[in-house]
Amino acid sequence: NKAVGEQLPLGYISSFSLSENDMASAEADMARLFPMVSVVRVQDVIAPVQSLLNILRYVLTGLGGLLLFGALLVLTSALLAQIRLRKEEFETRRLLGATKKQIQSLVRLEMGALAGLVLGVGMLMGLIMVWVVFYLTLSQDIVVPWASLIVGLVIPWLVILFLAGRNATIKLR
């Protein structure tokens, strides 16, 4: 390079793409021809950032699981408290001829609808937050684990249905 001699101007940046096979010889040639030049592989810079993003995904997934568990506890306790408050209503229904099974079905239907609504809205809000954080802010592709989401919604919903029906029957004793 006769135009600039052995030194490039300070702050000069150049980029080029090479195959992995040509990279080692190109780095050796650059070091020999331009001793003051630094070669930075983009992949070497991106790899730690990508690993940090993966760690952030795991942390957010763990926090999401903890939040789902906490929400399940709060929702279940609120629904069971509602059943306790409605004990007199259930007794009145029993006096009017409703069987325990009918009251249990009524409670399960009400609690199932309410729990399904709350869990569905929570899942939707979580998906929107993941989309905002990863897709809009960090420009990362999102792969939604639908099977995990469905299991994460169905299991708490079934637990709530079981506890609601069981608790309604216990309150009638």
Side-chain angles (χ1 to χ4, degrees):
N1 191 350
K2 302 286 185 218
V4 292
E6 289 294 344
Q7 295 184 355
L8 293 173
L10 186 61
Y12 179 78
I13 296 177
S14 175
S15 65
F16 52 92
S17 177
L18 295 173
S19 68
E20 197 62 38
N21 297 335
D22 297 334
M23 184 59 76
S25 64
E27 284 181 1
D29 289 343
M30 293 282 285
R32 186 175 40 79
L33 293 173
F34 306 105
M36 301 297 287
V37 170
S38 297
V39 175
V40 177
R41 291 184 189 188
V42 173
Q43 197 60 20
D44 293 342
V45 174
I46 292 177
V49 173
Q50 191 66 37
S51 68
L52 283 174
L53 287 175
N54 288 337
I55 290 171
L56 181 61
R57 278 189 183 145
Y58 294 133
V59 167
L60 289 177
T61 302
L63 286 175
L66 286 174
L67 287 173
L68 182 63
F69 182 71
L72 175 65
L73 289 177
V74 168
L75 180 62
T76 303
S77 66
L79 294 176
L80 295 179
Q82 181 185 11
I83 291 172
R84 279 192 296 273
L85 293 174
R86 295 176 61 193
K87 182 179 178 185
E88 290 178 9
E89 175 192 341
F90 299 147
E91 289 171 353
T92 304
R93 287 180 184 269
R94 287 281 291 158
L95 287 173
L96 293 174
T99 64
K100 286 184 180 182
K101 193 169 191 97
Q102 288 173 331
I103 293 173
Q104 197 175 36
S105 295
L106 173 72
V107 169
R108 280 195 174 136
L109 180 67
E110 290 175 0
M111 298 302 147
L114 188 58
L117 178 69
V118 168
L119 290 170
V121 168
M123 181 190 74
L124 184 62
M125 288 172 50
L127 286 173
I128 290 170
M129 286 304 299
V130 166
W131 181 71
V132 166
V133 169
F134 283 104
Y135 188 72
L136 293 180
T137 307
L138 301 174
S139 300
Q140 292 290 309
D141 290 333
I142 301 170
V143 178
V144 178
W146 290 110
S148 299
L149 283 176
I150 290 170
V151 168
L153 290 175
V154 169
I155 289 175
W157 188 71
L158 290 175
V159 167
I160 288 170
L161 286 180
F162 172 75
L163 290 175
R166 185 173 167 267
N167 202 17
T169 304
I170 289 171
K171 294 299 174 197
L172 290 174
R173 290 183 189 165

